[in-house]
Amino acid sequence: MDGLKDLSQIEQLKILKSIRLGCSSEAEFELYVKTHLAEQNIEEIVRRIDGLILEDEFLLLSKVMKACLAINGVDQGFVINNDLKVPDYLAVFDLSHSIYDTNCNSTKTPALVEVKTTQDDKIKLGKNFLDKYAKYTDLYDLPLIIASRFKISEQQQWWIMQTKEQLIKSKRISNPHQMINGGIGHILLNDYFLMPTTNIIIDTEFSKIPKTSSAYSKEYGYLQSVSITIDEKQLTLPSEYPILNLFLDCFSQQHIADEQNNEGITVRRVLPVQVQLLSDMLLRANFSMLDNNGNEYSNASRLLALLENNKATVIYREFFDEALSFFNSEFPLFTILRIGDEVNNKKLLHYLHNKNT
């Protein structure tokens, strides 16, 4: 064999993805590709590896949302029947803590999941491709879920999950508008929107040297304290504020002023009334923990690799439950907005139940 060149494209990409994660820079990775796959289009290889990395984001999402009892990748190499296409993941979703169904008879929901990603505002899956995925899932009598990732803004990335039937009804087109009544992701992930009930003033104090925290901002220095003001009432975050502050950082904030103080600087911002998706907030909080880059999406593959080697930690949805309880302990600052209407949600739960009985 002639090294990587004799492997299938998917096997090449899997190996190159691992190599890319281990490289110290993109330049080092591109040099490797040029050396071992000289005639290949490097930009296309990087684009396809980006797709594999974003597939890992769905794994990370399932983990931190506590959405699955089990989820694993399905080998997409050699397939005996060429009329079949193999989805990316076999998952068993856990509905036992769902806010959408308090009387669920079956909390275990197995399904096969195909992941699609894009930088555009919609994804269209060809009928031939969808039929091949559907034929494979029918062999196992499992529902097919299409999970599509959309870039809403530099700070927001939404995952829209649809059943095969929902996708066909939408003419095989997935877009963010289907989050409300055209998808099933809120049921499977137990997802919802969070909204501040009023404008909140946030004062973040920084010092030149670490005093209460090692959290560091290149622009302002070491994080010292965080307090919030609502209707002239003030609430100071306790000693674990760097973690609780991640919850606030997941909302868009308007900068008001910087003020010098004896210790360093106070940054004043306002958090206006808005809605943010829990799953998106949770991913961004984890990326902030990884590299202080929560406003721009980081690399889920790198975080998962570090977790496997016990070199990183993750924030689970329970943290946001605790943060919500803390911020609502004195004033009703944040409210939960359920997704979809009750009638449609009952139909979706009925669909899942019938598919798995």
Side-chain angles (χ1 to χ4, degrees):
M1 293 183 69
D2 190 16
L4 287 174
K5 297 176 184 178
D6 284 344
L7 298 177
S8 68
Q9 285 190 342
I10 188 65
E11 291 301 325
Q12 286 182 18
L13 292 172
K14 288 178 182 177
I15 293 171
L16 289 171
K17 187 189 87 167
S18 298
I19 293 171
R20 186 181 180 188
L21 292 178
C23 288
S24 59
S25 67
E26 282 298 293
E28 181 183 347
F29 174 68
E30 289 181 8
L31 178 61
Y32 182 90
V33 175
K34 287 179 182 177
T35 303
H36 296 277
L37 292 171
E39 76 281 3
Q40 298 285 342
N41 184 331
I42 294 177
E43 289 185 1
E44 176 63 15
I45 290 174
V46 170
R47 186 193 68 79
R48 295 188 67 184
I49 294 174
D50 284 341
L52 292 181
I53 288 174
L54 293 178
E55 287 178 12
D56 281 348
E57 188 175 293
F58 183 79
L59 273 182
L60 179 63
L61 175 69
S62 300
K63 180 178 179 65
V64 298
M65 287 291 285
K66 294 289 187 75
C68 294
L69 296 169
I71 181 169
N72 59 276
V74 183
D75 187 1
Q76 295 176 303
F78 181 71
V79 179
I80 294 175
N81 186 340
N82 290 329
D83 288 332
L84 303 176
K85 282 191 74 68
V86 183
D88 294 302
Y89 295 113
L90 172 63
V92 181
F93 292 96
D94 181 11
L95 303 184
S96 59
H97 302 291
S98 174
I99 66 170
Y100 297 98
D101 183 28
T102 56
N103 299 304
C104 188
N105 295 321
S106 176
T107 60
K108 294 189 297 183
T109 303
L112 284 155
V113 182
E114 172 63 16
V115 173
K116 297 296 178 185
T117 63
T118 184
Q119 295 296 320
D120 299 323
D121 58 359
K122 68 178 181 180
I123 293 174
K124 182 166 185 177
L125 193 63
K127 182 179 183 305
N128 187 42
F129 278 87
L130 183 60
D131 288 345
K132 288 185 175 183
Y133 287 125
K135 285 180 182 178
Y136 183 89
T137 56
D138 287 346
L139 290 177
Y140 293 91
D141 290 324
L142 292 174
L144 171 63
I145 304 295
I146 307 297
S148 304
R149 179 188 185 274
F150 293 95
K151 184 175 182 178
I152 307 301
S153 69
E154 287 302 320
Q155 291 186 311
Q156 291 179 292
Q157 313 282 343
W158 286 4
W159 282 91
I160 311 299
M161 299 171 67
Q162 295 175 279
T163 65
K164 176 189 68 176
E165 291 78 8
Q166 286 175 326
L167 196 64
I168 292 173
K169 186 176 180 180
S170 64
K171 299 181 180 179
R172 305 186 310 281
I173 295 175
S174 181
N175 61 55
H177 298 293
Q178 291 157 343
M179 167 71 73
I180 306 303
N181 282 316
I184 200 170
H186 60 290
I187 300 289
L188 296 175
L189 297 175
N190 195 19
D191 206 1
Y192 48 80
F193 288 104
L194 283 167
M195 183 182 73
T197 57
T198 185
N199 290 355
I200 302 170
I201 302 296
I202 304 171
D203 290 300
T204 310
E205 292 190 9
F206 296 88
S207 58
K208 296 178 182 178
I209 59 175
K211 292 188 175 182
T212 57
S213 168
S214 59
Y216 181 74
S217 164
K218 291 181 181 179
E219 187 175 1
Y220 300 112
Y222 291 94
L223 185 63
Q224 183 171 333
S225 67
V226 179
S227 61
I228 60 176
T229 304
I230 315 98
D231 298 330
E232 299 183 353
K233 297 179 181 178
Q234 192 173 72
L235 176 65
T236 300
L237 274 61
S239 58
E240 62 269 28
Y241 63 79
I243 299 297
L244 289 173
N245 197 42
L246 285 175
F247 178 88
L248 297 176
D249 285 345
C250 287
F251 290 90
S252 299
Q253 300 177 18
Q254 296 174 0
H255 189 274
I256 299 177
D258 295 344
E259 302 172 3
Q260 292 291 331
N261 58 45
N262 294 332
E263 302 294 337
I265 194 168
T266 298
V267 181
R268 171 161 273 217
R269 300 183 177 91
V270 62
L271 192 159
V273 174
Q274 60 191 281
V275 291
Q276 296 286 343
L277 186 64
L278 173 64
S279 56
D280 172 63
M281 293 171 66
L282 200 48
L283 282 174
R284 275 189 280 138
N286 275 288
F287 292 140
S288 290
M289 289 285 288
L290 178 64
D291 56 12
N292 292 320
N293 199 28
N295 286 339
E296 297 175 8
Y297 264 60
S298 187
N299 189 321
S301 299
R302 181 158 60 91
L303 179 52
L304 290 171
L306 291 171
L307 282 173
E308 193 172 350
N309 289 323
N310 296 316
K311 293 183 178 180
T313 57
V314 293
I315 297 173
Y316 293 97
R317 65 180 302 145
E318 288 91 342
F319 158 69
F320 273 25
D321 292 336
E322 293 169 5
L324 197 60
S325 296
F326 170 79
F327 287 116
N328 287 346
S329 59
E330 295 191 32
F331 333 100
L333 292 184
F334 296 92
T335 188
I336 290 175
L337 301 177
R338 299 188 181 197
I339 298 172
D341 62 71
E342 187 174 352
V343 172
N344 188 56
N345 287 337
K346 284 184 177 180
K347 289 180 180 178
L348 293 174
L349 287 161
H350 183 70
Y351 166 86
L352 293 173
H353 177 68
N354 286 345
K355 277 287 185 178
N356 292 288
T357 54

